[in-house]
Amino acid sequence: MNAPSTLTVDVRPTLRAGGEPFADIMAAVAGLAQGQSLRLLATFKPAPLFAVMASRGFNHEEREIGGGDWEVLFRPKATEGAAGPSARPANDAGPLDTRGLEPPEPMVRVLHTLETMPPGSTLEVYTDREPLFLYKELAARGHSVDSKALGQAGYRHLIRRSGPAGAAS
Amino acid sequence: MINTGLSRWTMAYFAAAFAAFLAAQLLMALGLAYPAEPLMSARTLVAVHLVTIGWLTLLMLGALLQFVPVITGSAVIGERAGLASLLAIGVGLIGMIVGFLALDGTLPAACTGALALGGGAVVVGVALVAVTIGRALVAGRPLALPGRFVAAGLCFLCLTVLLGVSFALALAWPDYFAWDGLVVHGLGLHIATGIIGWFTLTAIGVSYRLLSMFMLAPEEDGGIGRWVLRSATAGIGLFWAGPFFGGTPFAGIAASGGALLSIIAAGLYLADMVRIFRQRKRPVLELNSIAGAAALVAFGASVLAFGALEFSGRLSAFVGPLIYLYLFGWLSGLGLGQLYKIVPFLTWLERYGPRLGKEAVPRVQDLVSERRAAPWFVAYFLAVAAGAVAGALGVPLVWRAAILVHLVASILIARELWRARYGRPAALAVPAPPALSTTAFPQIGASP
């Protein structure tokens, strides 16, 4: 199988305009062909993205390209199964590290991730602050959460997904 | 599990506050208050209390009803007391305005009692909300730095309104409540305690958390911040101690010492804010943070001017323009900037929080258009700067023209806030983008 050409996503204009490129990047990742790499151009080293991409099965090589800008090449790790990592059922998931993200992005990611998981599974999450609005939403959805303060390192949460069987997409 | 939700009355506080803010600017621009009228005239007192009680106090109390449960990790507060307090303060303020207008003969003299009755209603409203917020603070101990500032601010708010109602009694019924000491020393203490103790300490406490949170700067470590609080509180303490030593050299020393400690507190705070702006991880500043920076510049300029005028003995000649710059540039500027972040944020949480992960929802930033709002913020701050300069140079007509400009800018900012709250986000007009569907989000930790 020939590896398709690398897809380049330049989020620098979005960042300079004060926007949040995460959703755009994830949309691009979702659209990647099997084995295709992603080249990302950003105005800073997008460290939080590395863990997210690693969990989706991508290695990363980053380099500074002048003017404070960074280029990151995300390459798929050694051949995955035909369906790719996201097709496997997730049971216990994590860690999802949301530290360094602007509110309400941590809440958005946690709730999105939870909705993809089967009932009864557990998600491990790290946050900078006590996510009080997230607690309210988790309680409203019937999920339980066990949180622990880590001092300077923020908070660690174990969220157990509840809900009717088959609710996960 | 703690279930912190959204404060029920915060938006009502904000709406009432904004109405008072626009009314005050209108009175000033039309020449119905300072700078066209004398600084100590009854009509100016109407505008001053519209700004201080109507705008800044309601704005801050509304914000605290939402903010304090978040910083202390307590449940929602003020579900009922919030409304009662808002009504008491609102009705009380209207009563005070009627009373002021009776003092100068605009309304019949029989209405002067409304000043004291209205002041009493404000005290009741403030006491109610201060107890509500205070209980959450007590339950949330030990308090982080922002909570300590808020606690101190609330204590000074209570002192300020108690002094204020004493004035109201003395003005409304001088035969029964004539306190010489109050008349001589009370006004300066009322202003210093309200402006430094309540508004500034509360604004500082809130700014420590909000600015660092939204600029992704390291959370306050509290080192410098604690000294800001100690120095400012000690400064206000000296202001209060002075009158008790009237006629002795200590009275003068206390006044100068209080001013010096307040300036030191301001300098430490500004240095800490520069640190937070420098250490931020978010390269591009959002409009609320830029407005915050502009407000901090106004704060620094006011403090410098205050120091220079106080210690050269020329303060009384420039006290009007100085207080104007402080109230409109620093406190109102910071308030407008933070409203531009808080209103969309709370609206988004309320409207889309329950739908997150289940369907496509717009982002917080889709509720606003910074490009559309930025010119109004620029106009607001430039007009305030021009107004302060015109005031200092003694050109009241130019000053009033500048006030008219920031009145219009405020109305346009209010329209942006209205759109954020009630408008239809552009992103909803198009089909759900793939980026917002659940499949676009990674299955965290699903790797082998």
Side-chain angles (χ1 to χ4, degrees):
Chain A
M1 186 175 74
N2 290 329
S5 61
T6 300
L7 175 72
T8 296
V9 176
D10 187 354
V11 296
R12 290 174 299 180
T14 313
L15 286 167
R16 291 208 176 97
E20 282 297 337
F22 183 75
D24 299 337
I25 298 168
M26 284 301 126
V29 172
L32 288 178
Q34 186 71 33
Q36 192 178 10
S37 298
L38 176 81
R39 182 166 153 263
L40 179 74
L41 297 168
T43 55
F44 63 98
K45 185 171 155 185
L49 194 62
F50 298 163
V52 175
M53 291 299 285
S55 73
R56 300 213 67 181
F58 288 86
N59 291 319
H60 64 87
E61 295 160 25
E62 77 277 16
R63 66 186 184 96
E64 204 167 355
I65 52 173
D69 292 352
W70 287 75
E71 179 197 71
V72 189
L73 186 64
F74 292 104
R75 255 201 274 263
K77 288 177 193 165
T79 339
E80 294 278 358
S86 61
R88 283 196 310 273
N91 285 317
D92 290 346
L96 172 55
D97 191 350
T98 68
R99 288 172 293 193
L101 293 173
E102 186 196 358
E105 199 56 30
M107 176 176 176
V108 171
R109 295 194 193 180
V110 169
L111 292 175
H112 272 281
T113 307
L114 273 176
E115 289 298 325
T116 65
M117 293 166 49
S121 53
T122 306
L123 175 66
E124 182 187 1
V125 177
Y126 289 85
T127 60
D128 278 321
R129 294 174 190 79
E130 196 146 35
L132 294 152
F133 293 115
L134 175 64
Y135 289 160
K136 178 193 167 238
E137 202 46 52
L138 292 174
R141 296 177 187 203
H143 307 320
S144 61
V145 53
D146 181 22
S147 303
K148 195 176 157 193
L150 306 175
Q152 290 289 315
Y155 291 82
R156 175 176 178 266
H157 316 272
L158 283 176
I159 304 171
R160 193 176 162 78
R161 193 195 195 290
S162 72
S169 53
Chain B
M1 183 41 62
I2 299 153
N3 188 358
T4 296
L6 295 164
S7 157
R8 194 168 166 191
W9 302 112
T10 290
M11 289 295 170
Y13 274 74
F14 289 169
F18 223 106
F21 183 45
L22 297 180
Q25 293 179 83
L26 188 65
L27 291 177
M28 294 170 76
L30 290 178
L32 297 171
Y34 188 79
E37 297 266 332
L39 192 54
M40 289 309 298
S41 70
R43 289 177 184 193
T44 297
L45 290 177
V46 170
V48 164
H49 289 88
L50 276 170
V51 171
T52 53
I53 297 177
W55 161 235
L56 293 172
T57 296
L58 287 183
L59 173 71
M60 289 187 180
L61 289 176
L64 290 184
L65 284 173
Q66 180 64 66
F67 183 71
V68 166
V70 172
I71 57 172
T72 58
S74 69
V76 169
I77 55 170
E79 290 268 79
R80 279 171 303 175
L83 178 64
S85 167
L86 174 61
L87 291 175
I89 297 173
V91 170
L93 177 59
I94 293 169
M96 287 176 64
I97 291 170
V98 169
F100 283 131
L101 294 177
L103 281 182
D104 81 341
T106 309
L107 290 175
C111 296
T112 44
L115 181 57
L117 295 176
V122 170
V123 169
V124 169
V126 163
L128 203 57
V129 75
V131 166
T132 304
I133 297 171
R135 280 170 61 187
L137 287 170
V138 169
R141 284 175 305 165
L143 292 173
L145 187 65
R148 293 180 192 198
F149 274 100
V150 170
L154 281 175
C155 292
F156 288 123
L157 168 64
C158 293
L159 270 179
T160 307
V161 294
L162 285 175
L163 259 183
V165 84
S166 310
F167 278 119
L169 288 170
L171 286 169
W173 296 303
D175 295 344
Y176 302 98
F177 301 99
W179 297 313
D180 293 344
L182 180 72
V183 176
V184 176
H185 304 293
L187 184 61
L189 287 180
H190 182 59
I191 296 172
T193 311
I195 289 186
I196 303 173
W198 161 230
F199 295 140
T200 306
L201 291 187
T202 307
I204 287 177
V206 174
S207 70
Y208 262 116
R209 177 58 59 88
L210 287 189
L211 287 177
S212 62
M213 190 161 89
F214 287 118
M215 291 194 297
L216 305 179
E219 193 78 351
E220 73 286 339
D221 59 11
I224 297 178
R226 270 198 283 278
W227 284 103
V228 173
L229 184 57
R230 284 174 193 152
S231 184
T233 308
I236 299 169
L238 278 179
F239 286 136
W240 276 79
F244 292 103
F245 297 89
T248 69
F250 183 75
I253 294 170
S256 301
L260 191 63
L261 284 174
S262 305
I263 293 169
I264 289 171
L268 289 174
Y269 167 65
L270 284 169
D272 223 11
M273 283 293 115
V274 169
R275 173 186 67 84
I276 284 181
F277 271 84
R278 284 210 175 132
Q279 293 180 356
R280 71 177 195 273
K281 290 180 205 148
R282 192 190 179 92
V284 180
L285 287 177
E286 287 183 303
L287 189 51
N288 64 302
S289 301
I290 296 171
L296 286 168
V297 169
F299 179 57
S302 317
V303 172
L304 277 179
F306 170 73
L309 294 167
E310 166 75 8
F311 292 105
S312 66
R314 291 184 299 156
L315 182 61
S316 58
F318 294 95
V319 73
L322 185 61
I323 291 179
Y324 165 84
L325 179 61
Y326 201 86
L327 292 180
F328 287 92
W330 155 233
L331 295 168
S332 303
L334 183 75
L336 288 173
Q338 295 313 307
L339 274 181
Y340 191 70
K341 186 76 200 185
I342 296 169
V343 169
F345 191 84
L346 295 179
T347 302
W348 180 89
L349 270 178
E350 185 183 323
R351 210 187 283 172
Y352 303 112
R355 305 195 216 158
L356 280 180
K358 297 176 177 172
E359 57 185 275
V361 299
R363 302 163 306 164
V364 179
Q365 55 267 42
D366 293 329
L367 270 58
V368 294
S369 162
E370 291 205 353
R371 218 175 55 175
R372 204 172 53 209
W376 316 139
F377 277 94
V378 172
Y380 178 86
F381 281 106
L382 286 181
V384 171
V389 170
L393 296 176
V395 205
L397 266 183
V398 177
W399 191 356
R400 278 171 55 194
I403 292 169
L404 187 64
V405 173
H406 64 67
L407 167 63
V408 172
S410 309
I411 293 170
L412 293 167
I413 291 169
R415 190 179 66 163
E416 295 302 316
L417 296 174
W418 182 272
R419 282 178 170 171
R421 180 108 188 114
Y422 300 107
R424 187 180 159 80
L428 276 189
V430 296
L436 288 165
S437 72
T438 52
T439 52
F441 278 78
Q443 202 99 90
I444 306 295
S447 49

